[in-house]
Amino acid sequence: MFNRITRGNAVVGGLTVTASLKQLRTVTNIADGASMVHTTTGILGGITTATLTTARTITTPTAAALIAELGSVVGTSVKFSYINLAAFVATLAGGTGVTIVGLATTAATAGQASRWEVVVTAPTTVSIYRIA
């Protein structure tokens, strides 16, 4: 039987890597508009950008949507970055079941970035922590 990692939750037996591990990243741009929603694909891709035309709120996916991708094991996490491409404040707001912990705004400076960690905190809830 081969060793398996399923959604990052468990390793059975030893794990041997014979090649380089690479973390694949994608960049997702959120279109500017009155109702801006971050996607699970964008979060899992690792880098999100937006070119705002005024101060905006960007709402995360629901906890249910994030857990559907991450799994419901408490402590499972993923990091992502948001990069502000225009000089307007971006505020991250939690979707249903998501709690934002820490400063929710990214400064009104073009090129300003914020770093976040999404953590499954219970089988039906997620917290997103501002880490930088």
Side-chain angles (χ1 to χ4, degrees):
M1 180 173 159
F2 293 100
N3 297 328
R4 282 182 20 179
I5 298 176
T6 305
R7 291 188 188 253
N9 297 336
V11 175
V12 178
L15 177 66
T16 302
V17 177
T18 58
S20 298
L21 289 175
K22 294 180 182 177
Q23 185 171 14
L24 300 177
R25 293 288 197 183
T26 59
V27 177
T28 301
N29 185 65
I30 301 173
D32 183 54
S35 179
M36 296 180 72
V37 178
H38 209 311
T39 65
T40 55
T41 301
I43 287 173
L44 295 176
I47 301 171
T48 302
T49 62
T51 305
L52 307 177
T53 57
T54 188
R56 300 276 191 205
T57 297
I58 301 171
T59 304
T60 71
T62 65
L66 289 164
I67 289 169
E69 291 297 322
L70 294 173
S72 62
V73 174
V74 173
T76 300
S77 68
V78 64
K79 292 178 184 167
F80 74 94
S81 297
Y82 168 76
I83 303 170
N84 210 357
L85 299 179
F88 295 99
V89 172
T91 302
L92 189 66
T96 302
V98 176
T99 301
I100 304 298
V101 180
L103 182 64
T105 59
T106 300
T109 305
Q112 183 67 42
S114 53
R115 187 88 170 122
W116 305 87
E117 186 157 3
V118 179
V119 180
V120 177
T121 52
T124 59
T125 62
V126 168
S127 288
I128 300 180
Y129 295 88
R130 174 78 179 256
I131 56 176

